[in-house]
PDB file of all heavy atoms in Angstrom:
ATOM      1  N   ALA N  41     -25.430 -40.668  26.398  1.00 87.00           N
ATOM      2  CA  ALA N  41     -26.444 -41.274  25.542  1.00 87.00           C
ATOM      3  C   ALA N  41     -27.433 -42.084  26.368  1.00 87.00           C
ATOM      4  O   ALA N  41     -28.644 -42.035  26.130  1.00 87.00           O
ATOM      5  CB  ALA N  41     -25.787 -42.161  24.495  1.00 87.00           C
ATOM      6  N   GLU N  42     -26.922 -42.824  27.356  1.00 87.00           N
ATOM      7  CA  GLU N  42     -27.805 -43.612  28.216  1.00 87.00           C
ATOM      8  C   GLU N  42     -28.729 -42.709  29.020  1.00 87.00           C
ATOM      9  O   GLU N  42     -29.915 -42.994  29.169  1.00 87.00           O
ATOM     10  CB  GLU N  42     -26.978 -44.504  29.137  1.00 87.00           C
ATOM     11  CG  GLU N  42     -26.280 -45.618  28.385  1.00 87.00           C
ATOM     12  CD  GLU N  42     -25.231 -46.349  29.203  1.00 87.00           C
ATOM     13  OE1 GLU N  42     -24.880 -45.887  30.315  1.00 87.00           O
ATOM     14  OE2 GLU N  42     -24.763 -47.401  28.724  1.00 87.00           O
ATOM     15  N   LYS N  43     -28.198 -41.594  29.534  1.00 89.00           N
ATOM     16  CA  LYS N  43     -29.029 -40.636  30.279  1.00 89.00           C
ATOM     17  C   LYS N  43     -30.063 -39.999  29.355  1.00 89.00           C
ATOM     18  O   LYS N  43     -31.204 -39.784  29.743  1.00 89.00           O
ATOM     19  CB  LYS N  43     -28.154 -39.548  30.904  1.00 89.00           C
ATOM     20  CG  LYS N  43     -27.286 -40.039  32.030  1.00 89.00           C
ATOM     21  CD  LYS N  43     -26.366 -38.922  32.514  1.00 89.00           C
ATOM     22  CE  LYS N  43     -25.274 -39.450  33.415  1.00 89.00           C
ATOM     23  NZ  LYS N  43     -24.272 -38.417  33.738  1.00 89.00           N
ATOM     24  N   THR N  44     -29.665 -39.705  28.123  1.00 87.00           N
ATOM     25  CA  THR N  44     -30.590 -39.112  27.154  1.00 87.00           C
ATOM     26  C   THR N  44     -31.713 -40.077  26.820  1.00 87.00           C
ATOM     27  O   THR N  44     -32.877 -39.673  26.749  1.00 87.00           O
ATOM     28  CB  THR N  44     -29.834 -38.709  25.872  1.00 87.00           C
ATOM     29  OG1 THR N  44     -28.843 -37.744  26.211  1.00 87.00           O
ATOM     30  CG2 THR N  44     -30.758 -38.143  24.823  1.00 87.00           C
ATOM     31  N   LYS N  45     -31.388 -41.343  26.623  1.00 84.00           N
ATOM     32  CA  LYS N  45     -32.419 -42.339  26.328  1.00 84.00           C
ATOM     33  C   LYS N  45     -33.379 -42.488  27.497  1.00 84.00           C
ATOM     34  O   LYS N  45     -34.580 -42.636  27.307  1.00 84.00           O
ATOM     35  CB  LYS N  45     -31.782 -43.693  26.009  1.00 84.00           C
ATOM     36  CG  LYS N  45     -31.174 -43.771  24.634  1.00 84.00           C
ATOM     37  CD  LYS N  45     -30.505 -45.082  24.427  1.00 84.00           C
ATOM     38  CE  LYS N  45     -31.328 -45.959  23.532  1.00 84.00           C
ATOM     39  NZ  LYS N  45     -30.631 -47.208  23.196  1.00 84.00           N
ATOM     40  N   ALA N  46     -32.851 -42.443  28.721  1.00 87.00           N
ATOM     41  CA  ALA N  46     -33.690 -42.625  29.903  1.00 87.00           C
ATOM     42  C   ALA N  46     -34.604 -41.427  30.155  1.00 87.00           C
ATOM     43  O   ALA N  46     -35.757 -41.597  30.541  1.00 87.00           O
ATOM     44  CB  ALA N  46     -32.818 -42.877  31.129  1.00 87.00           C
ATOM     45  N   THR N  47     -34.085 -40.210  29.927  1.00 89.00           N
ATOM     46  CA  THR N  47     -34.853 -39.007  30.247  1.00 89.00           C
ATOM     47  C   THR N  47     -35.554 -38.397  29.047  1.00 89.00           C
ATOM     48  O   THR N  47     -36.518 -37.664  29.210  1.00 89.00           O
ATOM     49  CB  THR N  47     -33.940 -37.928  30.873  1.00 89.00           C
ATOM     50  OG1 THR N  47     -32.969 -37.534  29.907  1.00 89.00           O
ATOM     51  CG2 THR N  47     -33.274 -38.428  32.128  1.00 89.00           C
ATOM     52  N   GLY N  48     -35.038 -38.652  27.847  1.00 85.00           N
ATOM     53  CA  GLY N  48     -35.592 -38.036  26.649  1.00 85.00           C
ATOM     54  C   GLY N  48     -35.128 -36.600  26.455  1.00 85.00           C
ATOM     55  O   GLY N  48     -35.604 -35.902  25.575  1.00 85.00           O
ATOM     56  N   SER N  49     -34.170 -36.153  27.263  1.00 84.00           N
ATOM     57  CA  SER N  49     -33.666 -34.788  27.196  1.00 84.00           C
ATOM     58  C   SER N  49     -32.402 -34.746  26.339  1.00 84.00           C
ATOM     59  O   SER N  49     -31.330 -35.174  26.768  1.00 84.00           O
ATOM     60  CB  SER N  49     -33.355 -34.272  28.595  1.00 84.00           C
ATOM     61  OG  SER N  49     -32.733 -33.017  28.540  1.00 84.00           O
ATOM     62  N   PHE N  50     -32.510 -34.197  25.132  1.00 83.00           N
ATOM     63  CA  PHE N  50     -31.382 -34.160  24.211  1.00 83.00           C
ATOM     64  C   PHE N  50     -30.407 -33.037  24.522  1.00 83.00           C
ATOM     65  O   PHE N  50     -29.356 -32.953  23.912  1.00 83.00           O
ATOM     66  CB  PHE N  50     -31.874 -34.102  22.771  1.00 83.00           C
ATOM     67  CG  PHE N  50     -32.541 -35.379  22.358  1.00 83.00           C
ATOM     68  CD1 PHE N  50     -33.910 -35.492  22.370  1.00 83.00           C
ATOM     69  CD2 PHE N  50     -31.787 -36.479  22.010  1.00 83.00           C
ATOM     70  CE1 PHE N  50     -34.524 -36.678  22.018  1.00 83.00           C
ATOM     71  CE2 PHE N  50     -32.381 -37.673  21.661  1.00 83.00           C
ATOM     72  CZ  PHE N  50     -33.762 -37.768  21.668  1.00 83.00           C
ATOM     73  N   GLU N  51     -30.717 -32.178  25.476  1.00 86.00           N
ATOM     74  CA  GLU N  51     -29.776 -31.148  25.918  1.00 86.00           C
ATOM     75  C   GLU N  51     -28.555 -31.785  26.577  1.00 86.00           C
ATOM     76  O   GLU N  51     -27.484 -31.201  26.634  1.00 86.00           O
ATOM     77  CB  GLU N  51     -30.437 -30.161  26.884  1.00 86.00           C
ATOM     78  CG  GLU N  51     -31.459 -29.258  26.241  1.00 86.00           C
ATOM     79  CD  GLU N  51     -32.848 -29.874  26.187  1.00 86.00           C
ATOM     80  OE1 GLU N  51     -33.185 -30.727  27.048  1.00 86.00           O
ATOM     81  OE2 GLU N  51     -33.599 -29.518  25.275  1.00 86.00           O
ATOM     82  N   LEU N  52     -28.733 -32.999  27.106  1.00 84.00           N
ATOM     83  CA  LEU N  52     -27.617 -33.700  27.745  1.00 84.00           C
ATOM     84  C   LEU N  52     -26.491 -33.986  26.752  1.00 84.00           C
ATOM     85  O   LEU N  52     -25.328 -34.016  27.131  1.00 84.00           O
ATOM     86  CB  LEU N  52     -28.093 -35.005  28.374  1.00 84.00           C
ATOM     87  CG  LEU N  52     -29.041 -34.880  29.565  1.00 84.00           C
ATOM     88  CD1 LEU N  52     -29.605 -36.244  29.947  1.00 84.00           C
ATOM     89  CD2 LEU N  52     -28.317 -34.261  30.738  1.00 84.00           C
ATOM     90  N   LEU N  53     -26.833 -34.185  25.493  1.00 82.00           N
ATOM     91  CA  LEU N  53     -25.805 -34.458  24.482  1.00 82.00           C
ATOM     92  C   LEU N  53     -24.942 -33.236  24.223  1.00 82.00           C
ATOM     93  O   LEU N  53     -23.739 -33.343  24.064  1.00 82.00           O
ATOM     94  CB  LEU N  53     -26.440 -34.933  23.178  1.00 82.00           C
ATOM     95  CG  LEU N  53     -27.095 -36.294  23.203  1.00 82.00           C
ATOM     96  CD1 LEU N  53     -27.709 -36.603  21.857  1.00 82.00           C
ATOM     97  CD2 LEU N  53     -26.113 -37.368  23.602  1.00 82.00           C
TER      98      LEU N  53
END
Side-chain angles (χ1 to χ4, degrees):
E42 290 168 350
K43 290 175 193 172
T44 299
K45 284 177 105 174
T47 64
S49 174
F50 292 99
E51 290 87 27
L52 293 171
L53 291 178

